[in-house]
């Protein structure tokens, strides 16, 4: 890399030769030397240099005259004047008149000369950079001036556009059929539109003195408690990582008639940062018609499925009479056909019963019949019923119990808990490959009962896990299940009705673990005090 370009003028050829040798030794490769200042000027007319060095006394043109002309061509280039001691006063005059960077007396000191050469080149570079920055600044100032001249018109135009947009937005908010509300991260109401006022039965001025937790309620009592921390973690019950979220199954209480309107609220964050200053806009949609439609649909399905049970039971009983030989002996082909019909009718009855159970849980018409029972006996009963299914696929089916031979008493609905256990274990058998393994784990912990069933089957894709416990879910999009899609949904309803929680952990090609916990259900004795 070049250290810089140097132009040296001196009529003494011995000095120029010595200078050239010194520069090569010091690593300065780009050095141009002239013995005549006029030729040096001709060179400078088409070539630049980072440093110009000139002797003072030269024939035809002295150093003062040469550097004056060179300064006209390159005003930012550093220049050094070489002079004898006797010409010191003239050198000072040159520095004052044309702005020479340095003067060096002959004979020079090599170290001093090299230092001044390096400093002079650096100075030239700095001045060139400064000139470039000044040029850019002048250009920017010109552009800024031109922009400033148009700024007033631009501001006026934008103001009109914003005013028009604000009027449109104000009109949309005011005449929107859905309620619109703005809250902060603590749930304080900051703004509400007329539709929201009508839903709540209070004017906006009064609403601004309230929190959203005071007008919106859920069936979950814990979520109805106003929290001083964050609205997203209390009434919304959501993760703070979401900038948009939909809250369902809420109710707005009207203060005029004390009626509750079912609503869903779609929230969106108005802030870029998640802190105490975060704002949310919520669109409140009245779901009364939708809820009524759902209720009528569910009532229709419940009535239909209930009416189907009687003919199905009659058909199943009739088929069993035939298979038992009550109406005469059957040949093998007839037995196969009737057995297939019996299995199909029993499967259909299972679907009808599952639909009825789902309806009763969702409508709140099913009351849990809690008793104190030994859950180990219940699990043993489930194990005995499911063991033949596991044997058909040569599956190793095991139960693990930390309590050994001690009783483990639960205060819960025995029949419903059995339904959950049978469902989870039955699914594990269905989705575990031949020669697989299934392990059941039970334990009591601080008054809570924890149940887990672990298999080494194919596992469940991550994208399907969130849908597992929904109604009519087929488990996975990768493979169509032959089930009703109600088993896990009903299991979740039963567990949550007991105040518990159900979940799954799964990895593809490694297996799944379904678990549920029933809190504060472990009893100390069979007799309640």
């Amino acid at each position: 890399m070049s250290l810089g370009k140097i132009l040296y003028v001196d009529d003494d050829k011995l000095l120029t030769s010595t200078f050239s040798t010194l520069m090569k030794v010091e690593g300065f490769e780009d050095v141009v030397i002239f013995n005549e200042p006029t030729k040096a000027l001709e060179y400078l007319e088409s070539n630049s240099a980072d440093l110009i060095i000139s002797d003072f006394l030269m024939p035809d043109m002295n150093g003062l005259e040469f550097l004056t002309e060179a300064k006209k061509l390159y005003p930012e280039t550093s220049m050094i004047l070489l002079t004898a001691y006797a010409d010191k006063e003239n050198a000072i005059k040159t520095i004052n008149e044309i702005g020479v960077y340095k003067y060096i007396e002959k004979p020079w000191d090599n170290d001093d000369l090299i230092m001044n050469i390096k400093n002079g080149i650096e100075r030239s570079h700095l001045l060139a950079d400064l000139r470039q920055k000044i040029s850019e600044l002048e250009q920017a100032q010109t552009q800024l001036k031109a922009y400033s001249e148009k700024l007033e018109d631009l501001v006026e135009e934008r103001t009109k556009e914003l005013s028009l947009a604000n009027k449109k937005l104000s009109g949309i908010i005011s005449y929107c059929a859905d309620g619109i509300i703005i809250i902060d991260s603590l749930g304080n109401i900051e703004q509400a539109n007329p539709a929201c006022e009508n839903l709540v039965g209070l004017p906006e001025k009064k609403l601004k003195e309230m929190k959203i937790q005071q007008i919106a309620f859920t069936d979950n009592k814990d979520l109805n408690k106003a929290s001083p921390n964050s609205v997203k973690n209390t009434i919304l019950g959501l993760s703070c990582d979401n900038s948009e979220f939909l809250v369902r199954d809420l109710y707005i209480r009207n203060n005029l008639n004390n009626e509750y309107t079912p609503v869903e609220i779609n929230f969106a964050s108005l802030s870029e940062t998640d802190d105490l200053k975060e704002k949310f806009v919520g669109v409140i949609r009245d779901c009364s018609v939708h809820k009524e439609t759902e209720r009528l649909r569910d009532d229709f399905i419940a009535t239909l499925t209930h009416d189907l049970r009687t003919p199905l039971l009659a058909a199943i009983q009739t088929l069993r009479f035939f298979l038992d030989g009550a109406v005469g002996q059957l040949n093998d082909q007839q037995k196969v056909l009737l057995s297939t019909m019996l299995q199909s009718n029993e499967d259909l009855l299972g679907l009808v019963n599952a639909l009825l159970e789902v309806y009763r849980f969702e409508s709140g018409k099913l009351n849990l019949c809690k008793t104190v029972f030994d859950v180990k006996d219940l699990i043993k009963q489930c194990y005995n019923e499911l063991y033949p299914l596991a044997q058909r696929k040569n599956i190793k089916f095991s139960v693990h119990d930390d309590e050994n031979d001690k009783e483990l008493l639960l205060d819960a609905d025995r029949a419903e808990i059995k339904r959950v256990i049978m469902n989870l274990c039955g699914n594990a058998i269905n989705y575990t490959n031949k020669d697989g393994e299934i392990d059941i784990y039970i334990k009591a912990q601080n008054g809570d009962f924890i149940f887990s069933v672990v298999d080494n089957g194919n596992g469940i894709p991550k994208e399907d896990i969130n849908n597992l416990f929904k109604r009519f879910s087929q488990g996975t999009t990768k493979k169509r299940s032959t089930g009703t899609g109600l088993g896990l949904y009903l299991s979740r309803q039963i567990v949550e009705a007991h105040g518990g929680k159900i979940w799954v952990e799964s990895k593809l090609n490694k297996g799944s673990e379904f678990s549920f916990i029933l809190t504060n259900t472990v009893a100390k004795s069979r007799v309640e005090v």
Side-chain angles (χ1 to χ4, degrees), residues 504-518:
V504 61
E505 296 178 3
S506 182
K507 292 183 178 179
L508 280 178
N509 303 319
K510 290 188 178 181
S512 305
E513 179 178 353
F514 282 83
S515 307
F516 70 85
I517 180 172
L518 302 179

Side-chain angles (χ1 to χ4, degrees), residues 433-471:
N433 297 324
K434 189 177 180 181
D435 301 322
E437 294 182 5
I438 296 176
D439 294 288
I440 297 173
Y441 297 90
I442 58 173
K443 67 176 180 179
Q445 181 175 306
N446 300 324
D448 301 336
F449 171 69
I450 303 173
F451 175 92
S452 298
V453 55
V454 182
D455 64 64
N456 63 349
N458 296 327
I460 304 167
K462 185 177 180 181
E463 60 270 18
D464 292 331
I465 289 179
N466 291 335
N467 297 321
L468 275 180
F469 298 100
K470 294 181 179 179
R471 197 162 37 167

